């Protein structure tokens, strides 16, 4: 059995065999539940905004299920016109989602034991939340001596629950949004930043380890203020990666 907070089982590799798949899936869902509750307002806001732009509930469901990247979906809706500028929306979506290149790269070493028929679908359902859960759990399992360190059932439990809640409540937002008026007036827009702050707090390992985060934040904020468009996303990601590499060289 797993603790109620979704952390690793109390047993160690030396004292117990691998937990059953169902228990690992439940552990992933349990770990993701607080974030799922925080996602509800953001999902409703996105769905309502999409409906106000003329998208149907079916179109919203397809967008959030197939793209499954909240940041780029918000950006796409802000740029949506009738008819839509497809190339512009595709370009901005690529820029906003470019962070997934780095996220996938950090997760890849833990997926080497998986065949591609399992690894590729796992990466398809990866988002910021499931990536953070999967990576933190894999590092904890590795430190505890579990092999393999990456628990695919745990990861899928968190990732698929996030996907289900996100797609369901964005669709619900598209249905009820037109009846609620300006849903942002309720302050729901703060839900998205709050989720990321919670995820960052869970990965906090002290100021020294957080220096690449701060560099990334500073560069992204500066580019956002000075350069139009979503260039601050790849700029911040690349600056953080460069800072992490330089700091690692210093320690070496």
């Amino acid at each position: 059995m797993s603790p109620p907070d979704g952390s690793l089982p109390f047993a160690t590799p030396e004292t117990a065999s691998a937990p059953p798949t169902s228990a690992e899936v439940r552990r992933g869902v349990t770990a993701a539940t607080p974030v799922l509750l925080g996602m509800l307002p953001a999902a409703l806001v996105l769905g309502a905004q999409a409906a106000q732009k003329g998208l149907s509930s079916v179109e919203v469901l397809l967008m959030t299920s197939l793209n499954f990247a909240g940041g780029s979906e918000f950006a796409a809706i802000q740029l949506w016109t009738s008819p839509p500028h497809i190339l512009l929306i595709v370009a901005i979506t690529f820029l906003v989602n470019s962070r997934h290149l780095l996220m996938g790269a950090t997760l890849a070493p833990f997926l080497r034991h998986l065949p591609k028929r399992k690894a590729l679908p796992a990466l398809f359902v990866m988002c910021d939340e499931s990536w953070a859960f999967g990576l933190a759990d894999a590092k904890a399992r590795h430190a505890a001596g579990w092999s393999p360190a990456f628990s695919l059932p745990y990861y899928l439990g968190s990732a698929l629950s996030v996907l289900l809640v996100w797609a369901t409540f964005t669709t619900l937002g598209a249905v009820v949004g037109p009846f609620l008026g300006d849903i942002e007036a309720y302050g729901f827009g703060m839900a998205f930043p709050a989720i990321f702050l919670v995820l960052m707090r869970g990965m906090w390992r002290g100021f020294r380890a957080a220096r690449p985060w701060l560099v990334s934040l500073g560069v992204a904020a500066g580019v956002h203020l000075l350069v139009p468009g979503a260039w601050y996303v790849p700029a911040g990601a690349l600056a953080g990666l460069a800072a992490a590499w330089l700091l690692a060289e210093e320690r070496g």
Side-chain angles (χ1 to χ4, degrees):
M1 295 295 292
S2 303
D5 61 356
S7 57
L8 286 172
F10 292 112
T12 64
E14 292 77 18
T15 61
S17 58
T21 299
S22 59
E24 285 293 275
V25 171
R26 287 195 301 271
R27 188 167 67 88
V29 173
T30 301
T33 296
V35 170
L36 297 179
L37 297 176
M39 288 175 59
L40 302 186
L44 291 171
V45 168
L46 177 60
Q49 290 179 341
Q52 292 169 1
K53 291 284 188 173
L55 274 70
S56 68
S57 57
V58 174
E59 290 169 332
V60 171
L61 175 62
L62 291 174
M63 178 182 70
T64 54
S65 299
L66 299 178
N67 183 50
F68 189 39
S72 65
E73 289 161 6
F74 273 104
I77 292 303
Q78 295 300 321
L79 295 170
W80 197 271
T81 57
S82 183
H85 299 289
I86 299 298
L87 292 179
L88 176 61
I89 292 175
V90 169
I92 293 299
T93 299
F94 176 81
L95 288 175
V96 176
N97 287 351
S98 62
R99 69 190 187 280
H100 287 225
L101 297 172
L102 299 178
M103 291 161 54
T106 60
L107 203 57
F110 295 103
L111 302 179
R112 290 174 179 167
H113 68 287
L114 295 175
K116 288 185 177 180
R117 60 184 174 82
K118 292 184 178 181
L120 294 180
L123 290 173
F124 175 78
V125 297
M126 182 185 72
C127 62
D128 298 282
E129 293 82 7
S130 58
W131 168 79
F133 288 128
L135 183 63
D137 184 68
K139 288 182 176 180
R141 285 170 58 94
H142 177 75
W146 288 90
S147 182
F150 184 80
S151 172
L152 183 60
Y154 168 85
Y155 170 83
L156 291 178
S158 62
L160 293 178
S161 60
V162 171
L163 173 58
L164 177 62
V165 168
W166 184 251
T168 299
F169 280 86
T170 50
T171 305
L172 180 62
V175 173
V176 304
F179 303 100
L180 298 178
D182 183 12
I183 197 170
E184 290 188 352
Y186 299 100
F188 287 168
M190 279 301 299
F192 218 54
I195 291 172
F196 284 103
L197 291 175
V198 170
L199 293 174
M200 290 177 63
R201 176 62 184 89
M203 301 180 71
W204 181 262
R205 295 296 182 270
F207 177 79
R208 184 179 181 85
R211 286 181 294 174
W213 294 5
L214 300 177
V215 171
S216 179
L217 174 63
V219 171
V223 173
H224 176 67
L225 293 174
L226 299 174
V227 181
W231 292 104
Y232 62 93
V233 176
L238 292 175
L241 184 63
W245 181 76
L246 291 173
L247 291 172
E249 287 290 309
E250 288 182 4
R251 289 194 296 269

